[in-house]
Amino acid sequence: MGATELGPIVGMIEHWIDRLHQYWGIEAKLSPFDGEFDLNIKAECSDGTRYLVKIMRPGCDPGLVEMQCDALTHIHASTTSVNVPYVIQSIGGHSVETLMDEAGEARLVWVLSFLEGVDYAGFTPKSQPLISDLGRSMALLHTALDGFQHLALQRDFKWNLLQASWITDRLSVISDVPRRELLGSIMMEYAECLDSVLALPSVAIHNDINDYNLLASGTLNHTPVISGIVDFGDMCAGPRVCDIAIAGAYIMLDHPRPELALSALVAAYHS
């Protein structure tokens, strides 16, 4: 990358270094992470303390950020047994600040504690004890979220499993005939069981427990564990089984014995 291309990045980093110090009193070196829509930045202080700075896309609904902050606060007030980030209050005592970015656009900015660990996607081995710990961690998360309510949980978006019927009308984009037929049969089964799922209690769920939103830690001498659950940006109201289904789909990916992996997840959750 040439100096011309680096210029805007350096300017952006310097801008947020200044804002982080001004509004949170944190002096740190910043390193951007990849993000689909928003800017996520790791802030590392000279004493080794680290934070995650989340700079939301322009026009982001404030309610969605407020929901995440309130949910994390609710979880920490409910339990210490599940590891999710803390919201770091600004100097002004706010969970979220509205700040101008380097281009003059208003952004919602909030800061979280930084959780240590390796994302589940890159962690090996994906042992049965680790999968069982995920099931246990999900159950603790659901217990901690019990009673949490927020208007933004009622979301109309395609990642809500209760609204997945849109897939049926899009199957024609799958050119591989056997795969299209397989997906069609899955959607028929979905339609048949949807009423039963809709009859289940609708509560606050994470809704995106995928292999990059899970952190794991462990060594050859220590049993691997789930060290954190992150990114509550797709939270919504729905049956808890939706979280189990999402996590189950990811833990079975490339697993040599997918049925065993799913069984371990569900058994640990149920226990």
Side-chain angles (χ1 to χ4, degrees), residues 12-251:
M12 179 268 290
I13 292 295
E14 290 177 347
H15 177 86
W16 292 115
I17 285 175
D18 179 69
R19 295 301 179 272
L20 185 62
H21 182 247
Q22 180 181 354
Y23 285 88
W24 278 269
I26 297 173
E27 292 189 36
K29 178 176 65 177
L30 303 187
S31 306
F33 284 124
D34 291 333
E36 185 177 5
F37 298 112
D38 308 310
L39 182 59
N40 297 303
I41 299 178
K42 178 174 69 173
E44 186 164 5
C45 303
S46 58
D47 64 359
T49 304
R50 297 197 283 182
Y51 301 94
L52 178 64
V53 183
K54 297 185 72 68
I55 303 164
M56 310 309 289
R57 58 198 173 277
C60 176
D61 180 358
L64 294 179
V65 180
E66 179 190 81
M67 173 186 67
Q68 296 174 69
C69 292
D70 289 353
L72 292 171
T73 301
H74 182 94
I75 292 166
H76 281 291
S78 301
T79 184
T80 59
S81 299
V82 59
N83 203 13
V84 300
Y86 284 94
V87 179
I88 308 300
Q89 299 289 302
S90 69
I91 293 173
H94 305 132
S95 298
V96 186
E97 294 282 359
T98 301
L99 306 177
M100 295 297 174
D101 65 15
E102 68 281 5
E105 290 195 88
R107 302 279 199 121
L108 299 174
V109 183
W110 46 310
V111 179
L112 298 172
S113 60
F114 193 90
L115 299 187
E116 302 296 336
V118 177
D119 59 66
Y120 185 92
F123 189 87
T124 55
K126 295 176 174 62
S127 63
Q128 187 164 331
L130 180 60
I131 293 171
S132 294
D133 194 58
L134 172 55
R136 172 182 172 277
S137 298
M138 289 171 55
L140 291 170
L141 175 63
H142 285 165
T143 301
L145 279 170
D146 191 40
F148 177 70
Q149 296 182 342
H150 194 282
L151 289 176
L153 288 170
Q154 306 300 326
R155 302 175 68 176
D156 182 14
F157 69 145
K158 67 181 180 180
W159 303 124
N160 186 335
L161 295 194
L162 302 183
Q163 300 170 356
S165 298
W166 64 269
I167 296 172
T168 301
D169 296 331
R170 307 293 197 282
L171 287 176
S172 60
V173 303
I174 308 296
S175 58
D176 183 283
V177 175
R179 177 165 292 188
R180 185 170 66 242
E181 291 176 348
L182 173 61
L183 292 172
S185 67
I186 291 172
M187 292 311 299
M188 288 177 63
E189 293 179 7
Y190 170 84
E192 290 170 0
C193 73
L194 184 57
D195 286 344
S196 298
V197 178
L198 288 171
L200 297 172
S202 182
V203 296
I205 59 173
H206 183 285
N207 198 49
D208 195 20
I209 300 181
N210 68 52
D211 48 359
Y212 285 97
N213 288 339
L214 296 169
L215 299 176
S217 62
T219 65
L220 291 175
N221 300 320
H222 295 87
T223 302
V225 295
I226 297 298
S227 59
I229 300 176
V230 300
D231 195 349
F232 286 68
D234 282 338
M235 280 190 74
C236 68
R240 294 184 178 98
V241 71
C242 291
D243 266 354
I244 301 172
I246 293 166
Y250 283 99
I251 63 104

